[in-house]
């Protein structure tokens, strides 16, 4: 399978490392031979239509902080040029999420679909702003569109709700979908002030480059949009979410919750309304996880409430979700 990889940050590099370390096993078990024929980062690109040497790619990135020096050529294709000129089967979109115009991910994804490439995205921006129209575009162009890493990272939350609960009618769900704010709120419950907890989260590298994405609830809202569209068949985008972040949570709020055997958590919920807001939940609720963990509870008509808990971020975790999507695409192609 010929792949164009958009973005070569932590997730992109983890994916390539996963391809290197698991190549024999992935081929033996699933018959999948991923060939990365083009990759670009913010400074440049590397292209080889017969497949890039992945170990060399990682070395070059480590040494020069860009893949641009992979070959001694002046040829430095942009992402769009790559999509338009390379004969690839799959586009993997890992550039940073933005919720203003979703670029450059939106252009990568829509162009790839128009060029009949299947798309895997871990970039949440395009889905948050245009989920319904991206789905239509994929159907119109008869390509597959996968995005299991956008919610829950390596924890297969979307697959669980869509496939394991097949036939069920999910009536509502609520979850902690942002690890960074959960880490901050956990530390506040352990006695730290908001500022000290935020600083610690920053020092550990958890906070997004634009801290507002975590603190103002935008990341959780984007994940809620994806869940609502994919699982509840709602046709919604970011402006439909009633969103409040954690900036106004005070030490007093936390202390009051502790007294009530509760904790304050940033909860994304779908129960008639779509809301992201800090809420008190009982410490005995399975949803009440600590640190950077994510958790989500699905309530369905006949099978009650089930809670899934797992890590919602991380390079290797997210890379493993991309591999999952790739294997799904491989399987669906071989069925047709
Ligand atoms: N900033 C996100 C989080 C990363 O803290 O959960 C994963 O989307």
């Amino acid at each position: 399978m010929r792949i164009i990889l958009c973005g070569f940050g932590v997730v992109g590099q983890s994916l390539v490392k996963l391809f290197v370390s698991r190549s024999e096993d992935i081929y033996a078990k699933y018959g999948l031979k991923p060939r990365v024929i083009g990759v670009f980062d913010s400074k440049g690109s590397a292209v080889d239509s017969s497949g890039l040497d992945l170990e060399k790619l990682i070395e070059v990135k480590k040494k020069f902080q860009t893949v641009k020096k992979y070959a001694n050529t002046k040829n430095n294709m942009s992402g769009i040029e790559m999509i338009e000129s390379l004969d690839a089967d799959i586009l993997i979109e890992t550039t940073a999420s933005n919720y203003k115009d979703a670029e450059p991910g939106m252009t990568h994804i829509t162009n790839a679909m128009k060029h009949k490439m299947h798309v895997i995205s871990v970039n949440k921006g395009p889905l948050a702003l245009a989920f319904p129209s991206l789905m239509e575009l994929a159907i119109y162009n008869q390509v597959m569109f996968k995005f299991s890493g956008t919610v829950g990272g390596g924890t297969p939350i979307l697959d669980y709700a869509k496939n394991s609960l097949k036939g069920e009618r999910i009536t509502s769900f609520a979850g902690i979908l942002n690890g960074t704010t959960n880490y901050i709120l956990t530390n506040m419950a352990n006695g730290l002030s908001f500022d000290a907890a935020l600083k610690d989260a920053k020092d550990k590298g958890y906070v997004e480059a634009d801290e507002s994405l975590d603190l103002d609830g935008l990341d959780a809202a984007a994940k809620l949009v994806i869940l609502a569209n994919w699982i509840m068949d709602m046709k919604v985008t970011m402006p439909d979410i009633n969103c409040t972040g954690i900036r106004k949570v005070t030490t007093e709020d936390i202390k009051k919750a502790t007294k009530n055997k509760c904790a304050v958590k940033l909860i994304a919920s779908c129960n008639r309304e779509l809301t992201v807001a800090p809420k008190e939940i009982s410490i005995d609720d399975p949803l009440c996880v600590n640190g950077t963990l994510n958790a989500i509870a699905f309530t369905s008509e006949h099978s009650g409430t089930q809670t899934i808990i797992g890590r919602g971020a991380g390079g290797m975790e997210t890379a493993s979700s991309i591999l999952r999507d790739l294997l799904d695409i491989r399987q669906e192609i071989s069925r047709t």
Side-chain angles (χ1 to χ4, degrees):
M1 273 185 161
R2 290 154 303 176
I3 295 169
I4 294 175
L5 181 54
C6 304
F8 204 50
V10 178
V11 173
Q13 290 174 63
S14 300
L15 179 67
V16 166
K17 285 177 191 161
L18 194 62
F19 285 161
V20 170
S21 66
R22 297 276 310 277
S23 67
E24 282 174 27
D25 156 53
I26 292 171
Y27 185 62
K29 251 192 184 157
Y30 308 104
L32 177 72
K33 232 182 200 173
R35 255 198 299 151
V36 181
I37 61 171
V39 57
F40 62 88
D41 55 30
S42 55
K43 296 189 190 114
S45 62
V47 171
D48 183 342
S49 51
S50 57
L52 293 158
D53 174 340
L54 298 184
E55 285 178 75
K56 180 177 165 192
L57 196 63
I58 292 166
E59 265 171 43
V60 169
K61 177 76 179 180
K62 199 171 166 198
K63 196 162 167 198
F64 302 104
Q65 282 79 55
T66 172
V67 294
K68 194 176 173 178
K69 296 269 170 75
Y70 178 88
N72 289 327
T73 59
K74 284 215 178 102
N75 183 4
N76 204 22
M77 274 193 203
S78 73
I80 297 303
E81 283 166 342
M82 234 179 242
I83 293 163
E84 285 180 353
S85 62
L86 295 183
D87 190 15
D89 306 298
I90 297 186
L91 177 106
I92 300 179
E93 166 55 41
T94 75
T95 65
S97 304
N98 101 61
Y99 304 111
K100 291 191 179 87
D101 59 7
E103 294 297 354
M106 185 75 94
T107 304
H108 298 152
I109 294 176
T110 51
N111 272 282
M113 286 180 179
K114 286 175 192 160
H115 283 81
K116 309 291 177 202
M117 290 174 207
H118 304 296
V119 172
I120 297 172
S121 180
V122 293
N123 176 348
K124 297 176 282 285
L127 289 127
L129 296 193
F131 193 108
S133 48
L134 285 176
M135 269 300 159
E136 272 179 28
L137 191 66
I139 293 167
Y140 180 78
N141 287 290
Q142 296 180 311
V143 293
M144 286 176 252
F145 183 31
K146 305 269 177 190
F147 39 84
S148 72
T150 54
V151 182
T155 310
I157 289 174
L158 294 171
D159 276 0
Y160 177 78
K162 192 81 174 174
N163 298 319
S164 302
L165 285 172
K166 205 177 277 169
E168 256 296 5
R169 202 153 33 200
I170 297 173
T171 50
S172 65
F173 63 82
I176 295 171
L177 303 177
N178 180 271
T180 305
T181 46
N182 202 34
Y183 182 80
I184 292 171
L185 292 171
T186 303
N187 271 347
M188 286 175 77
N190 291 336
L192 259 58
S193 68
F194 176 81
D195 289 340
L198 174 59
K199 185 182 178 306
D200 179 46
K202 278 187 180 167
D203 291 346
K204 293 215 159 61
Y206 295 150
V207 185
E208 299 274 350
D210 174 0
E211 66 179 31
S212 160
L213 302 189
D214 291 317
L215 302 183
D216 296 320
L218 301 177
D219 173 74
K223 291 165 180 167
L224 183 55
V225 167
I226 296 168
L227 281 158
N229 277 279
W230 187 233
I231 289 162
M232 311 298 267
D233 291 325
M234 291 175 155
K235 302 259 180 287
V236 291
T237 59
M238 283 291 258
D240 297 307
I241 309 293
N242 200 337
C243 183
T244 313
I246 65 159
R247 289 193 206 257
K248 291 196 176 136
V249 176
T250 62
T251 315
E252 282 63 45
D253 296 331
I254 304 270
K255 278 187 189 151
K256 191 179 126 251
T258 312
K259 242 188 218 162
N260 297 335
K261 292 207 164 72
C262 287
V264 177
K265 298 290 181 188
L266 186 67
I267 302 291
S269 58
C270 169
N271 188 0
R272 285 199 212 111
E273 287 199 342
L274 295 169
T275 309
V276 172
K279 282 187 188 137
E280 267 191 28
I281 59 170
S282 162
I283 52 168
D284 297 326
D285 189 323
L287 205 55
C288 193
V289 294
N290 287 325
T292 56
L293 280 177
N294 282 196
I296 185 160
F298 292 105
T299 300
S300 37
E301 214 170 21
H302 304 295
S303 46
T305 299
Q306 294 119 14
T307 305
I308 307 184
I309 297 169
R311 272 189 242 159
M316 264 306 166
E317 288 83 350
T318 308
S320 89
S321 80
I322 298 176
L323 178 58
R324 223 163 46 216
D325 285 347
L326 256 183
L327 292 172
D328 272 355
I329 291 176
R330 169 84 177 72
Q331 210 172 23
E332 283 179 47
I333 289 174
S334 58
R335 252 195 239 129
T336 52

